């Protein structure tokens, strides 16, 4: 390789005083040629912090590189072949005698002609999962030894192969073009070096001139018919290309693939030899915004949500386009799908049998795909028994609580070989038991209707939606909706409703002492309440719930307001429920809480979960791939936080948020669900308030206090989501600040980074086009601005999403205590069904819940999405630390962050055993583990993946 490649080894060896032993994978055509002084100069320029002793060592190596006399070479421990027997003297003593000769030796080296060098590279690819022998031809090729393709396709190498070419960081001074190696051809059947079950390593040889310079990139062309997964290309000790990408056949995509070395460069620091490739790679990823995307494409572009409806199926399947002035929304990845026959502005939805486009490298890996497929199979099987039950009794309503508790098993039965000896009825019983659901964290505790008041309050701060609770600052609360359209803005709450539940305080005193809190879903649901209640199987209120903060630090519900549009004079538009005083008010109170939980479940899923994490993160991912080069240090910081998100979101458009999808068929708002999500984006979402501290302040749950550890004072001290979340937020913030200030010492560095500025502007102007003119967008001018933006992004992709997602089945899988929708309103005394309610209130309550099939469908879905896959990558874990091998400051920062995550886990465990923290410890109280960073695979109610991976 180039002289400075040899010198890279020299510098490494200098640190161990063994520079005479150069790696064997460098074969010199002229074995007497030694590393060039230019090489060591280049390496010095890339090292940011060299100690004086290190500079002396490098000077010694430079002298050796430029043919210093043998005796001097021995002094620095770098002898030629005929000098091996001479003793070495300490480097510090040798350096002084070497420096004098450097200039003359460098001039002497410039006169030497360039000589060819041969480099050995190890190319590692991963096998495709479709590694099956389906034909006689396949079997014959395997028997003949020609079945060595990593894809199992047995491509012959005649006029084929994988063409690789190294690109130097330097350019030819006369031609002003990058220096290139000779092309190396990799054949699956000829270059095999080693392989295991999943990876195969091949060996190829590159030939370069001795003045080639340091490799900065490599281009790859696939002349085979099949794609392959390129894991890495390693010229050991010289350069590593961590590729981790699918390489398509040039028949599908004739453009050469470009991979850069693991060294990160800001745009202004990009070496001349790879500057053009850096720009070219981004152009390829952006595409031109036209045409139908193919599964093999790697193009990232923006589009509106124009494919969630299906007008060709009928008028009832028409859904609005999400994105634009009528329904503002973040953008999603463009697929270029065909228009519908009915309306050319709408795209045809992707069905289960058509190809779902995401850029090729966003697809699931094999183990993830298998986990998802297994989950879907389990969901289908678990639907069999409820379906048969409905057919058998011609009804799918819950008749008694035993119908609900019978859906869950007591233990984990195993289907074993011994079952073959059982009678058929016993086998069927075993299978039926196997298909039942695992117990949740709550249904083993609560077998009566609804949640007890203490658990109802605890779930608001330690459940799966701890993001809606707010401090009540005005009593009674006031709506922001237009009074001429939606009626009086004043709430129906009166002081007499809550006065008796304030432990002797007046309402004003309770407000001033921050004792009153509220779940306020009034303005979210009221604009849609008539449309929801017009559906056959949906009945809902726009709810408000007031809580009192007790002396124990727990929340006690003291009043619930249920609002609908007044349709006639006999039906009140607002009614208030207070804690019960008899059997009748007890059942009405339980029904009221169930309606609140139904509202809460819908807001959790549509706004906090889908909108604020999934949808908003997709725009950031698209902008990152389009504007930040793979060698950009910010891209490399963010890469683990983008894994699988686009694929998950594409599946959501296909099965979750589409017309008649899981969301519409399961949650309160039905076919109006995404309109509610749009309204929240338009009226409430703000990126500058999405970080944890800003969100807590916005909701009145915290006030700034510099004397506190995190700069905040929580008004509910035992608020598990906030207290644990602030530990993680602060750790992320420390990591990001260290990282950002390492690469951006001042505001000038941030402002002059063309890729970074283009990334942020595009993310706002294209990704959030409907809100691009909002005044609240943070500026990006200083390193602190950048650190704040990145901390929020990483928080949302990791801990925020984990807190909302992985407890869905453990805390929401028992339908009576958290129904995704309700089917009946509260009975009114003047109505005929009031007598039915009085006669059998439990039956009335059960008939208000989702049906058997609706409930099991919901349970199956949240069970799937609450599970961690076997290949999960958790926060604090990174597989790409080699990227910063020359940057010990960054390596140390990541190591410290990893230790922080382990420390935080221990601290959370200690809090969960602290009996004074009543919201996470006590008789029958579930410990709050949703923000513990690690987890085993499966449904565990803990674990923080790096990214939104489900």
């Amino acid at each position: 390789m180039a002289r400075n490649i040899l010198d890279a080894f020299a510098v490494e060896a200098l640190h161990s005083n063994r520079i005479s032993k150069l790696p064997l994978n460098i074969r010199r055509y002229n074995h007497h040629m030694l590393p060039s002084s230019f090489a060591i100069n280049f390496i010095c320029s890339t090292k940011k912090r060299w100690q004086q002793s290190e500079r002396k060592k490098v000077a010694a190596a430079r002298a050796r590189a430029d043919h210093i006399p043998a005796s001097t070479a021995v002094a620095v421990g770098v002898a030629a072949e005929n000098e091996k027997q001479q003793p070495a003297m300490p480097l510090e003593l040798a350096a002084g005698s070497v420096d004098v000769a450097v200039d003359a030796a460098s001039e002497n080296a410039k006169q030497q002609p360039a000589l060819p060098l041969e480099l050995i590279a190890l190319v590692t690819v991963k096998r495709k999962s479709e590694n099956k022998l389906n034909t006689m031809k396949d079997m014959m090729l395997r028997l003949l030894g020609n079945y060595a393709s990593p894809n199992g396709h047995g491509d012959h190498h005649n006029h084929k192969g994988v063409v690789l070419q190294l690109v130097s960081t330097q350019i030819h001074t006369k031609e002003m073009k990058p220096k290139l190696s000779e092309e190396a051809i990799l054949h699956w059947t000829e270059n095999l070096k080693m392989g295991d079950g999943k990876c195969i390593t091949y060996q190829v040889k590159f030939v370069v001139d001795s003045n080639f310079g340091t490799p900065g990139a490599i281009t790859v062309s696939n002349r085979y018919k099949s794609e392959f997964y390129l894991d890495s290309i390693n010229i050991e000790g010289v350069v590593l290309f961590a590729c981790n990408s699918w390489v398509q056949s040039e028949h599908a995509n004739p453009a050469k693939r470009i991979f850069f070395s693991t060294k990160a460069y800001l745009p202004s620091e990009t070496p001349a030899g790879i500057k053009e490739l850096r720009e070219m790679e981004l152009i390829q990823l952006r595409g031109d915004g036209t045409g139908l995307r193919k599964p093999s494409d790697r193009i990232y572009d923006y589009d509106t949500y124009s494919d969630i409806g299906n007008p060709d199926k009928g008028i009832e399947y028409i859904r609005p386009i999400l994105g634009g002035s009528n329904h503002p929304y973040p953008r999603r990845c463009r697929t270029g799908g065909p228009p519908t026959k009915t309306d050319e502005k709408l795209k045809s939805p992707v069905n289960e049998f058509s190809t779902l486009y995401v850029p090729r490298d966003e697809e699931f890996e094999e183990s993830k795909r298998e986990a998802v497929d297994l989950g879907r199979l389990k969901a289908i099987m678990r639907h069999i028994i409820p379906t048969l039950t409905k057919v058998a009794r011609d009804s799918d309503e819950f008749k008694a609580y035993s119908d609900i508790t019978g859906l869950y098993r007591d233990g984990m039965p195993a289907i074993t070989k011994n079952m073959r000896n059982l009678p058929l009825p016993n086998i069927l019983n075993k299978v039926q038991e196997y298909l039942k659901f695992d117990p949740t964290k709550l249904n083993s505790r609560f077998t009566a209707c609804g949640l007890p008041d203490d658990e109802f309050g605890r779930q608001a701060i330690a459940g799966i939606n701890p993001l809606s609770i707010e401090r009540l600052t005005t009593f009674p609360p006031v709506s922001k909706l237009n009074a001429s359209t939606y009626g009086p803005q004043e709430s129906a709450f009166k002081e007499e409703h809550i006065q008796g539940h304030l432990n002797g305080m007046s309402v004003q005193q309770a407000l001033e002492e921050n004792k009153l809190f509220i779940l306020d879903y009034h303005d979210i649901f009221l604009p849609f309440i008539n449309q929801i209640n017009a559906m056959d199987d949906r009945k809902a209120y726009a709810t408000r719930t007031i809580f009192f903060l007790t002396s124990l630090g727990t929340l006690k519900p003291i009043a619930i307001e249920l609002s609908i549009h007044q349709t006639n004079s006999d039906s009140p538009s607002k009614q208030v429920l207070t804690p019960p005083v008899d059997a009748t008010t007890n059942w009405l109170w339980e029904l009221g809480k169930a309606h609140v939980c139904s509202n809460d479940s819908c807001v959790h899923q549509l706004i906090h979960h889908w909108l604020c994490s999934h949808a908003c993160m997709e725009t950031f991912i698209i902008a990152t791939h389009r504007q930040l080069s793979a060698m950009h240090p910010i891209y490399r910081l963010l890469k683990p936080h983008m894994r699988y998100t686009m694929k998950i979101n594409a599946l959501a458009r296909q099965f979750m948020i589409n017309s008649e999808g899981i969301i519409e068929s399961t949650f309160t708002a039905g076919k109006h669900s995404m309109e509610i999500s749009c309204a929240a984006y338009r009226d409430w979402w703000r990126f500058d308030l999405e970080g944890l501290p800003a969100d807590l302040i916005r909701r009145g749950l915290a006030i700034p206090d510099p004397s506190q550890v995190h700069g905040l004072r929580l008004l509910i001290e035992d608020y598990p989501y906030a207290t644990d979340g602030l530990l993680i937020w602060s750790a992320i913030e420390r990591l990001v600040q260290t990282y950002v200030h390492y690469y951006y010492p001042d505001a000038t560095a941030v402002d002059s980074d063309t890729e970074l500025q283009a990334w942020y502007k595009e993310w706002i102007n294209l990704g959030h086009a409907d809100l691009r003119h909002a005044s609240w967008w943070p500026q990006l001018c200083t390193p602190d601005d950048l650190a704040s933006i990145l901390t929020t992004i990483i928080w949302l992709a990791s801990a925020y999403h984990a807190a909302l997602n992985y407890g869905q089945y453990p805390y929401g899988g028992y339908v009576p205590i958290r129904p995704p929708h309700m089917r009946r309103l509260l009975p009114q005394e003047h109505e005929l069904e009031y007598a039915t309610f009085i006669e059998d209130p439990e039956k009335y309550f059960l008939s208000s819940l989702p049906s058997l099939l609706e409930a099991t469908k919901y349970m199956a879905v949240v069970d799937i999405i609450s599970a961690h896959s076997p290949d999960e990558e958790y926060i604090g874990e990174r597989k790409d630390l080699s990227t910063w091998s020359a940057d010990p400051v960054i390596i140390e920062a990541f190591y410290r962050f990893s230790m922080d995550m382990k420390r935080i886990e221990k601290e959370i465990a200690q809090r969960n055993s602290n009996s004074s923290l009543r919201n996470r410890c006590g008789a029958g109280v579930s410990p709050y583990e949703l923000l513990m960073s690690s987890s085993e695979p499966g449904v565990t109610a803990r674990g923080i993946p790096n990214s939104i991976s489900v």
Side-chain angles (χ1 to χ4, degrees), residues 9-293:
F9 292 105
V11 173
E12 284 294 321
L14 274 169
H15 291 290
S16 59
N17 289 339
R18 296 178 63 186
I19 203 165
S20 59
K21 297 183 179 179
L22 294 178
L24 296 177
N25 66 328
I26 296 188
R27 314 287 186 186
R28 284 172 288 175
Y29 281 78
N30 180 353
H31 70 275
H32 295 293
M33 193 190 75
L34 297 170
S36 70
S37 62
F38 176 82
I40 296 181
N41 282 326
F42 177 82
I43 292 172
C44 287
S45 69
T46 62
K47 299 284 185 180
K48 297 201 172 189
R49 295 174 178 82
W50 283 87
Q51 301 296 327
Q52 184 63 30
S53 61
E54 290 174 318
R55 294 184 181 278
K56 289 182 179 180
K57 294 176 185 179
V58 170
R62 183 187 301 129
R64 173 75 175 97
D66 292 315
H67 299 271
I68 301 297
S71 59
T72 307
V74 171
V76 294
V78 194
E81 281 300 315
N82 58 356
E83 300 163 349
K84 286 183 178 178
Q85 305 304 317
Q86 300 188 33
M89 62 189 295
L91 288 174
E92 288 75 8
L93 298 176
S97 62
V98 170
D99 286 339
V100 181
V102 167
D103 292 336
S106 297
E107 187 64 31
N108 186 31
K110 291 178 183 178
Q111 300 173 5
Q112 295 180 5
L115 297 173
L117 301 174
E118 185 179 278
L119 292 175
I120 306 299
L122 300 179
V123 180
T124 302
V125 301
K126 288 184 179 179
R127 294 179 183 271
K128 287 186 71 172
S129 59
E130 298 86 4
N131 222 9
K132 300 178 181 179
L133 306 179
N134 296 319
T135 67
M136 182 63 70
K137 177 183 176 183
D138 292 336
M139 288 185 276
M140 290 300 295
L141 288 171
R142 170 64 62 87
L143 291 171
L144 294 173
N146 291 326
Y147 206 92
S149 165
N151 301 327
H153 297 299
D155 283 327
H156 291 290
H157 64 80
N158 293 333
H159 309 294
K160 294 184 179 181
V162 178
V163 182
L164 307 103
Q165 189 170 39
L166 292 172
V167 183
S168 173
T169 55
Q170 302 175 16
I171 59 173
H172 292 286
T173 54
K174 293 183 179 179
E175 301 175 9
M176 299 304 292
K177 294 181 179 180
K179 296 179 180 179
L180 305 175
S181 72
E182 293 183 12
E183 289 185 344
I185 310 296
L186 166 62
H187 296 296
W188 299 140
T189 55
E190 293 183 356
N191 301 87
L192 181 63
K193 183 177 178 65
M194 66 187 74
D196 57 26
K198 292 185 178 180
C199 294
I200 311 173
T201 299
Y202 300 89
Q203 182 175 290
V204 295
K205 298 178 181 179
F206 291 99
V207 176
V208 299
D209 289 335
S210 57
N211 60 359
F212 180 77
T214 302
I218 189 168
T219 62
V220 182
S221 295
N222 177 14
R223 293 179 179 172
Y224 290 113
K225 294 180 180 180
S226 305
E227 66 176 4
F228 68 93
Y229 188 87
L230 182 56
D231 182 81
S232 63
I233 301 173
N234 186 13
I235 305 174
E236 188 177 356
V238 179
V239 65
L240 172 66
F241 300 95
C243 306
N244 299 309
S245 180
W246 290 96
V247 179
Q248 302 301 319
S249 168
E250 64 181 16
H251 302 290
N253 189 344
K256 291 182 178 181
R257 286 298 309 277
I258 304 165
F259 297 101
F260 299 102
S261 70
T262 54
K263 180 171 176 56
Y265 294 101
L266 293 172
S268 60
E269 299 172 346
T270 310
I274 56 175
K275 193 175 186 65
E276 184 177 348
L277 289 181
R278 181 174 188 144
E279 297 170 358
M280 186 185 303
E281 170 74 353
L282 289 174
I283 291 171
Q284 290 179 5
L285 290 169
R286 292 174 195 144
D288 60 5
T290 64
L292 175 66
R293 297 275 68 85

Side-chain angles (χ1 to χ4, degrees), residues 266 268-269 737 739-753 756-757 780-786:
L266 293 172
S268 60
E269 299 172 346
Q737 286 180 344
Y739 191 93
V740 166
H741 285 276
Y742 182 80
Y743 288 101
Y744 298 93
D746 51 39
T748 301
V750 173
D751 186 63
S752 62
D753 187 333
L756 185 71
Q757 294 296 330
L780 180 53
C781 300
T782 68
D784 286 341
D785 293 341
L786 177 58

Side-chain angles (χ1 to χ4, degrees), residues 385 409 413-416 418-419 422-436:
I385 295 173
R409 58 172 170 251
I415 298 180
T416 65
N418 295 331
M419 286 178 56
L422 295 175
L424 181 59
N426 290 351
I427 293 177
L428 293 177
N429 288 336
K430 287 284 186 181
V431 172
Q432 181 174 345
E433 187 68 16
Y434 184 79
L435 294 178
K436 288 183 178 182

Side-chain angles (χ1 to χ4, degrees), residues 400-512:
Y401 259 96
S402 59
D403 291 345
I404 298 175
T405 57
L407 296 173
Y408 304 88
R409 58 172 170 251
D410 296 328
M412 178 67 73
I415 298 180
T416 65
K417 293 186 295 183
N418 295 331
M419 286 178 56
R420 70 183 63 174
N421 299 320
L422 295 175
L424 181 59
N426 290 351
I427 293 177
L428 293 177
N429 288 336
K430 287 284 186 181
V431 172
Q432 181 174 345
E433 187 68 16
Y434 184 79
L435 294 178
K436 288 183 178 182
F437 291 87
D438 294 327
T440 72
K441 284 185 173 291
L442 300 181
N443 67 317
S444 58
R445 293 179 52 207
F446 309 120
T447 56
C449 294
L451 280 173
D453 284 0
D454 62 327
E455 186 64 23
F456 181 66
R458 195 183 79 88
Q459 287 294 308
I461 54 177
I464 55 175
N465 180 21
L467 290 158
S468 292
I469 191 74
E470 299 177 275
R471 180 165 57 93
L472 184 62
T473 57
T474 303
F475 186 88
V478 178
S479 170
K480 297 178 182 179
L481 297 175
N482 189 316
S484 62
T485 304
Y486 300 106
Q489 294 179 323
E490 292 76 18
S491 166
F493 285 131
K494 305 296 182 184
E495 287 197 13
E496 54 264 30
H497 289 135
I498 66 172
Q499 185 69 62
H501 305 283
L502 302 181
N503 286 1
M505 292 184 180
S506 68
V507 173
Q508 186 59 35
Q509 183 183 3
L511 288 172
E512 291 173 354

